[in-house]
Every structure is written in C-alpha cells, then in structure tokens.
Amino acid sequence: MARFSHPSFQTFSLPDLPEGRDIFMMDEIYIDEWEAENIKRFSDQGDADPYGVGYITPVHISGINTTGADLSWYPNTHDRFHEVKTVLPNSAFVAAAIAYEYDKRPQLFVKSDWLRKLHLRSNSIFAMIDAIDMSDAIRSGAISHEKVIALRDRLDEVAARFPQISFISFADSLLLKTNWTAGMVDTGVSYTYLPEGLLTLFQELQELYRNTLGLEIYGVFAQGSNEYYDDPLLHISKSQNHISLNSLGLPFAQISLIEGAARKAIRKGEHSRMEIYMDKDLFYSLSFKDYHQREKWPSATYSPKLTAGSGSYFYGMCDDLLSCLTLP
C-alpha cells in the first residue's frame, strides 16, 4: 500500500505546503509509526495515539522557492520566544501529510541527518562594541599609547573570565562572538542560549572604556547560523598571523547595516544616540519579565542582507533593557 493512501490523509509536496502557517516537523524515522497510529484513529481504535509518536520540532513556513522552503523554527517557547531562521532544502524533504478530520497543522517529515544537524550545530550571537567620539579624542590628544595598552591589558583580563566568548579588539572597537546550541533529546547536547549574558558583559565593558579611555561605548547585536558546525570560537593559525572567527561574514554585514541605519536615523533626528542596537529576531528572543514590554520598545527599520523587504532593529539604554529581563 502506498504511503498515506488512506482517504483521511491529505498529502503535500514541498511546493504545496501552506505558506505563512505553523506546522510540525519530525524525523523521517517516525513516518510509518505516525501513519499507523492515525489509521488506527480513523478506525476508532481507542488506543490510537499519533501525538505520542516521536519528537516535534515546531516551524513556520515563511516562503517556498525552487530550492526549498524558508523556515522559522522555535528551539524554545517555554521561557522565551526564540525564533531561528533557516532553510529546508529540497533534498531534505521526505513527505508531508495531515489527518484533516482531526488536525489543523500538517506534519512535515525530513531527513534524519538534516534535522540532527539543525538541532546540534553551533549557532552564534555577535556584537560590535564601538567607542563614541574616538576620533575627536585622538585629535585632542586625549588618547595616549599608554591608555590604549591599558585597555588591551584590561580586555585580556575580562576575556580570561569569559572563555565562551571570543574577543577581537581594535582599540576603539571590539567584536564579540559566542556560540550556542539548541540541543536534542538523547544526544547529550543541551540548550545553551543565554543572550542576556552579552548585555551584562556590555555593562562591564562600559566601565572598562570609561576608566581607561574616558569614553562611552555603544553596541550593535545580531545573531546567525554558524557554518563551522563543530569548530571552536576562533581559529588561530600555527604561524600566529591568521585568525578566523569560524563564521560566515553575513552576521557582521547585518551589524554594519544596523549601525548605518542607526547613524542615519540619529542624523535625521528620528531617534537619539543609544547604547544598544539589536536586530529584531535577537531582541524578541530575550527573556522579558513581561512579553508585552518588548512590543512597546522603540524600533526602527533597516534593510537586512539576503532578506526581502525591511527588517527592524530595537534601540535603548542597557540599564533600561536589563531591568525588563529575567537574568540567569
């Protein structure tokens, strides 16, 4: 008998899946069991339990094209709204069906290796920290060689206490990167997403820059997938003259675009200088004490790379933002 041949199933090809809808995604290894339990349900067998089969990955289909589907998936909706954008390629699609008399969401079955990689791969959060009015301070002679060396030495001390974060410094600016995993049942890999830690680190860096250079700082924050799945935060060559952040450049392009949009908005008087500028997806994933607070937070638009339409960044002062969050 062909798969999903029972008349109570409606099947979908990948291009036929409904866009703009929440659906359930599952490993292909559960497809036969899920079908069998539903057939038992169609026959009114009391012990039928299709909802007890396998493990669900909730996703949202935002668009479908010739190469696959653009997905948002949700590693955590229990204590934060954590959305991650990814792509389901045609090669990873196995089948999709709905027991339309009982359910409202289609069940999407995907290749085991693709789903496993999605859950176990390292993802990253990035931040660019920049000193305000550094050029003016240099021109006035306020920045000395001794101060710059003192900043570097203090950053060494801070970095030593945060081995899970990479620090790349340029005296007046600093790039930060930290990895996280979504985790998966029965793999030993757990959910390690704690973006609030970068905000508390930002507070510490504020004091550091004030005490060493006498300058204030601001930070631009974004997140992205990490194509170096199992690699450490940094790669340093044996010759010590090549450093790789083990990441594609896209998140840094996003940071640059947000910073450019914020500078333009400040010049036009659309909003004042702030300490924190954060991409919408990352901002919404923060652990707000009251999720209604995030809806009231000021935001502005920018044009993200590789995404159709406009994106949003949120801005504010670090202390104000942290006061609204549940911290680890």
Side-chain angles (χ1 to χ4, degrees), residues 240-271:
Q240 302 290 301
N241 63 343
H242 170 222
I243 297 176
S244 170
L245 279 174
N246 284 349
S247 174
L248 296 180
L250 181 59
F252 299 104
Q254 299 293 86
I255 285 174
S256 178
L257 290 167
I258 292 173
E259 183 188 27
R263 288 180 179 273
K264 183 177 180 180
I266 292 168
R267 287 195 300 269
K268 294 171 65 175
E270 295 174 356
H271 64 70

Side-chain angles (χ1 to χ4, degrees), residues 212-316:
T212 55
L213 300 186
L215 297 176
E216 297 296 327
I217 59 173
Y218 66 90
V220 187
F221 298 77
Q223 64 180 357
S225 62
N226 181 6
E227 296 304 316
Y228 297 77
Y229 304 133
D230 301 315
D231 290 341
L233 285 168
L234 289 174
H235 163 83
I236 302 176
S237 66
K238 291 181 180 179
S239 59
Q240 302 290 301
N241 63 343
H242 170 222
I243 297 176
S244 170
L245 279 174
N246 284 349
S247 174
L248 296 180
L250 181 59
F252 299 104
Q254 299 293 86
I255 285 174
S256 178
L257 290 167
I258 292 173
E259 183 188 27
R263 288 180 179 273
K264 183 177 180 180
I266 292 168
R267 287 195 300 269
K268 294 171 65 175
E270 295 174 356
H271 64 70
S272 58
R273 279 185 175 184
M274 292 291 166
E275 294 173 346
I276 302 294
Y277 306 91
M278 187 176 293
D279 179 71
K280 177 182 177 180
D281 290 345
L282 180 56
F283 182 84
Y284 269 30
S285 75
L286 297 175
S287 183
F288 280 86
K289 297 174 185 176
D290 178 357
Y291 75 91
H292 292 294
Q293 291 175 306
R294 73 183 189 194
E295 307 297 339
K296 302 173 184 178
W297 211 267
S299 65
T301 60
Y302 79 105
S303 298
K305 202 173 182 66
L306 297 184
T307 302
S310 62
S312 299
Y313 67 90
F314 289 74
Y315 55 88

Side-chain angles (χ1 to χ4, degrees), residues 85-106:
K85 291 182 172 64
T86 190
V87 175
L88 172 68
N90 291 326
S91 59
F93 174 81
V94 176
I98 186 173
Y100 61 85
E101 295 178 1
Y102 298 88
D103 299 324
K104 295 181 179 180
R105 298 184 182 186

Side-chain angles (χ1 to χ4, degrees), residues 112-166:
S112 300
D113 59 345
W114 182 85
L115 185 62
R116 185 178 179 86
K117 183 181 292 183
L118 179 68
H119 279 267
L120 301 184
R121 68 190 294 178
S122 292
N123 296 275
S124 302
I125 307 172
F126 302 87
M128 188 279 293
I129 311 298
D130 208 356
I132 298 173
D133 297 330
M134 181 67 167
S135 296
D136 291 341
I138 292 174
R139 293 190 191 99
S140 68
I143 304 299
S144 65
H145 176 73
E146 290 75 18
K147 288 184 177 181
V148 173
I149 296 302
L151 173 66
R152 186 191 66 188
D153 292 344
R154 290 283 304 280
L155 285 172
D156 281 345
E157 296 171 5
V158 173
R161 291 190 286 104
F162 293 92
Q164 76 279 17
I165 301 174
S166 63

